Amino acid sequence: MVALTALALVAVRSLREPVLRAAGWALVLNESVSSADIIVLSLDSGGAGALEAADLLQSGISKRVAVFENPPSLKDHEFIRRGVPDEVEGARQIRQLRSLGVTDIVRISTIEGASTEGEGQALPPWCDEHQLQSVVFMASKDHSRRVRRVLDRVMKGHSTRVRVQHSRYSDFDPDRWWETRRGVAAEIVGLQKLLLDVVLHPMSF
């Protein structure tokens, strides 16, 4: 019994890390990219997305960057009324891009409190309006696979080709996410959102 118990513990331990890694990589997608009309940063890609976009511009992938920007909320208006500088979501990414030498930056207005789905609603008409043929969409690493599913749905019927890229500077590590509290939280939230998307849109492609 002792030997069998020891063998079972060894087997479970040997399977644990591969299973956890598979769970981490289930959230992650990184598509190959080539020359594109513009790089679009999702809000949740944050500073890591700004860094990666600057690197892509340096490598010649594109010459322009677009950033989603929420309309000012009640809180934002109140800060402005009191003379206190406050950054609307997206403004920080713009400041970071400029500090990295990126000058050709455009803004995409989206709904207040925009989620991945909100960005997905704003992107197709914006691409049509600007007659874009190709876009690199910068997503956070732990949301990148779900972003692909959302974009597959919303871009159907539109001529713009969108490739999903995540930043190498992201804090999420699919090979070791369980070792930090932040990684565990990101994995749980990301997996919940991905599974919900699969349940709500089982034929998403």
Side-chain angles (χ1 to χ4, degrees), residues 27-29 139-148 164 166:
L27 305 181
V28 179
L29 178 71
S140 63
K141 186 180 289 186
D142 49 311
H143 290 165
S144 53
R145 192 171 300 278
R146 184 168 65 92
V147 165
R148 176 73 274 168
V164 176
H166 66 69

Side-chain angles (χ1 to χ4, degrees), residues 23-40:
W25 282 102
L27 305 181
V28 179
L29 178 71
N30 206 39
E31 299 177 323
S32 60
V33 297
S34 56
S35 179
D37 294 334
I38 199 165
I39 299 167
V40 176

Side-chain angles (χ1 to χ4, degrees), residues 148-166:
R148 176 73 274 168
R149 291 176 56 84
V150 172
L151 292 177
D152 283 344
R153 292 195 298 272
V154 301
M155 296 305 298
K156 190 177 294 185
H158 297 269
S159 61
T160 308
R161 176 176 56 86
V162 183
R163 306 294 286 177
V164 176
Q165 183 87 180
H166 66 69

Side-chain angles (χ1 to χ4, degrees), residues 101-137:
V102 180
T103 56
D104 195 347
I105 306 170
V106 296
R107 305 169 191 239
I108 307 175
S109 296
T110 183
I111 60 174
E112 185 176 343
S115 59
T116 299
E117 288 74 15
E119 292 174 349
Q121 292 172 17
L123 187 63
W126 184 82
C127 289
D128 292 345
E129 179 186 350
H130 292 82
Q131 299 181 331
L132 300 175
Q133 296 300 309
S134 56
V135 168
V136 173
F137 192 96

Side-chain angles (χ1 to χ4, degrees), residues 71-84 86 88:
S73 64
L74 179 62
K75 169 186 70 69
D76 298 321
H77 284 299
E78 185 60 21
F79 271 116
I80 293 169
R81 188 186 71 80
R82 298 187 188 192
V84 180
D86 189 40
V88 176

